[in-house]
Amino acid sequence: MSIIAQHGEIFIILACLFGFFMAWGVGANDVANAMGTSVGSKAITIKQAIIIAVVFEFLGAWLAGGEVTATIRGGIVDPVLLQANPELLVYGMLSALLAAALWLLIASAKGWPVSTTHSIVGAIVGFGAVGLGMEAVAWNRVGTIASSWVVSPLLAGTISFLLFKSVQYLIFEAKDPFAAAKRTVPFYIFLVGFIVSMVTLTKGLSHVGLDFTFGQSFMLSVLLGIGIMGIGIIMENRVKGERRIGDQFGYGSVERVFGVLMIFTACAMAFAHGSNDVANAVGPLAAVISVVRSDGVIDSAALVPWWVLILGGGGIVAGLVTYGHKVIATVGTGITELTPSRGFAATLAAATTVVLASGTGLPISTTHTLVGAVLGVGLARGMAALNMRVIGTIVMSWLITLPAGAGLAIMFFFMFKGIFG
């Protein structure tokens, strides 16, 4: 009787527990990043942020999360090499989950914005290289993933720099900034709706049974964008242009118009984050379940059971509610001072980059992308606006995360091997 048939139940229970713990860490550390800009720029309250995150993280995971889950599950370590002893894959994925979750717990306690993606990828590479041998790791794939970690902050930074420059030019330098804001912001809202719908429709919905051609997706996204823009215009019309004392240009009311826009970008960011990062918690869990269910046959293409995505979504929500407020406070105000118009540029840039990456199945780091985007906005205002010390800490935590994830995973891998083997 194989090890898997013997301990199958235990493996699945452990995988669910560790997967939930990992998702909890994602919620506590990463979702807090995603929401940090919106809360930091005072566009929404922490309570509203939690409600938005609960709804849209969950939708993102369920509608657009399948692509990245596949990469995490079967794309990093070559599953074919494990056909002889599939229980090694089970130990490895369990240890990867536990290692990454533990590291996230440490980081969240310290208030470092580390990357959940790095932790889990580092952990999988760690157990693969040491537990199975160097040739078990698909190094070219790891290279692609690692290079996407450099590209994503740069891309997001560039987009947010350009977006914020366009805001400065079209609105803040206009004769009547408030009127200009009311004219221009609906187009930004349209952009938010369009980009998120487009990527979701082209990539995400195949496992829900909906497959659209590119043209259909495009038309639907335009319609969705227009619909969302309509809601935005109604909300925007409630904002009255009053001038406060000492605000000769009426910038205060302009920022309030952007406050409306931030609600939309916060939803987009939560959706994007759910689509990319739930996979970090769910990928290894799905791998364990498919191996146990098929009694040791390793199939990297097996469908993710729907309840697994729900478990991941639930864990994320739990982490955000219990522990997320700490990290939200750090990210929203730490790197550079945010107002709704700056926060908007940063969030939309990050969300765009992340949903693009989810579409191509690349597990990029939401944390890095968002940090890059916030840096871009800071740069658009000049170097003095950036807090270099915080940026230094962030870069340090980026460097530590991979070895920390890998080291812990190797340790747990041999522990599980000892217990069950």
Side-chain angles (χ1 to χ4, degrees):
M1 198 171 157
S2 71
I3 296 182
I4 287 186
Q6 218 175 328
H7 301 298
E9 306 283 284
I10 304 176
F11 288 151
I12 288 198
I13 292 165
L14 282 178
C16 289
L17 283 173
F18 296 164
F20 190 81
F21 180 27
M22 173 73 191
W24 179 92
V26 172
N29 197 302
D30 247 33
V31 179
N33 291 325
M35 289 288 130
T37 46
S38 315
V39 177
S41 61
K42 301 192 178 49
I44 55 178
T45 63
I46 291 237
K47 252 189 191 152
Q48 288 168 317
I50 288 175
I51 293 166
I52 286 177
V54 168
V55 175
F56 285 91
E57 286 280 335
F58 188 74
L59 284 173
W62 182 54
L63 294 175
E67 203 81 25
V68 183
T69 308
T71 303
I72 295 271
R73 197 176 68 194
I76 297 172
V77 169
D78 186 2
V80 185
L81 291 170
L82 294 172
Q83 287 297 7
N85 32 9
E87 66 276 3
L88 290 182
L89 181 71
V90 175
Y91 304 153
M93 288 301 180
L94 287 176
S95 50
L97 278 175
L98 191 54
L102 198 63
W103 171 244
L104 282 178
L105 181 65
I106 297 166
S108 299
K110 298 266 186 206
W112 296 335
V114 300
S115 159
T116 47
T117 314
H118 287 197
S119 334
I120 195 83
V121 171
I124 292 177
V125 169
F127 96 77
V130 175
L132 311 169
M134 296 295 273
E135 68 284 349
V137 179
W139 290 109
N140 55 349
R141 194 63 210 257
V142 175
T144 316
I145 295 170
S147 64
S148 74
W149 294 340
V150 181
V151 174
S152 59
L154 290 176
L155 181 64
T158 313
I159 297 175
S160 72
F161 182 88
L162 294 172
L163 268 173
F164 189 63
K165 282 292 186 202
S166 80
V167 171
Q168 277 178 325
Y169 177 74
L170 290 171
I171 296 173
F172 289 116
E173 289 170 12
K175 279 198 176 68
D176 180 352
F178 183 65
K182 288 214 134 174
R183 269 199 318 274
T184 321
V185 164
F187 291 105
Y188 287 129
I189 294 181
F190 171 77
L191 256 180
V192 175
F194 174 74
I195 289 170
V196 176
S197 328
M198 189 65 202
V199 176
T200 310
L201 292 173
T202 44
K203 283 297 175 188
L205 297 179
S206 49
H207 65 280
V208 194
L210 297 168
D211 247 340
F212 296 113
T213 62
F214 187 80
Q216 287 170 317
S217 304
F218 188 83
M219 289 313 296
L220 267 170
S221 302
V222 170
L223 290 173
L224 276 166
I226 291 170
I228 291 170
M229 180 163 108
I231 303 168
I233 291 172
I234 297 164
M235 288 166 65
E236 189 191 55
N237 285 338
R238 294 199 200 133
V239 179
K240 294 285 170 281
E242 66 238 23
R243 296 206 173 169
R244 309 252 164 91
I245 301 146
D247 177 17
Q248 77 249 38
F249 297 111
Y251 283 165
S253 41
V254 174
E255 290 293 2
R256 283 199 298 286
V257 176
F258 271 102
V260 172
L261 179 55
M262 272 308 273
I263 297 169
F264 288 94
T265 51
C267 298
M269 189 66 209
F271 184 89
H273 183 266
S275 72
N276 202 296
D277 284 39
V278 171
N280 297 336
V282 162
L285 170 55
V288 172
I289 289 165
S290 79
V291 170
V292 173
R293 282 213 174 142
S294 58
D295 195 23
V297 180
I298 294 170
D299 175 16
S300 57
L303 271 174
V304 183
W306 59 269
W307 58 267
V308 172
L309 289 172
I310 289 176
L311 182 92
I316 284 189
V317 169
L320 184 70
V321 172
T322 52
Y323 216 72
H325 55 92
K326 294 188 177 183
V327 189
I328 285 185
T330 348
V331 171
T333 47
I335 299 172
T336 183
E337 199 187 327
L338 289 173
T339 61
S341 57
R342 294 172 206 154
F344 147 72
T347 323
L348 180 56
T352 310
T353 311
V354 173
V355 276
L356 280 173
S358 297
T360 48
L362 277 177
I364 64 168
S365 156
T366 327
T367 316
H368 291 193
T369 313
L370 206 75
V371 168
V374 174
L375 285 180
V377 173
L379 276 176
R381 295 168 53 224
M383 280 302 284
L386 295 176
N387 183 340
M388 293 320 278
R389 204 192 67 229
V390 174
I391 295 161
T393 314
I394 289 171
V395 171
M396 179 213 67
S397 69
W398 288 3
L399 296 176
I400 294 178
T401 299
L402 271 169
L408 286 167
I410 291 163
M411 196 172 77
F412 290 132
F413 178 73
F414 287 111
M415 189 183 83
F416 285 125
K417 207 170 164 178
I419 293 171
F420 294 110

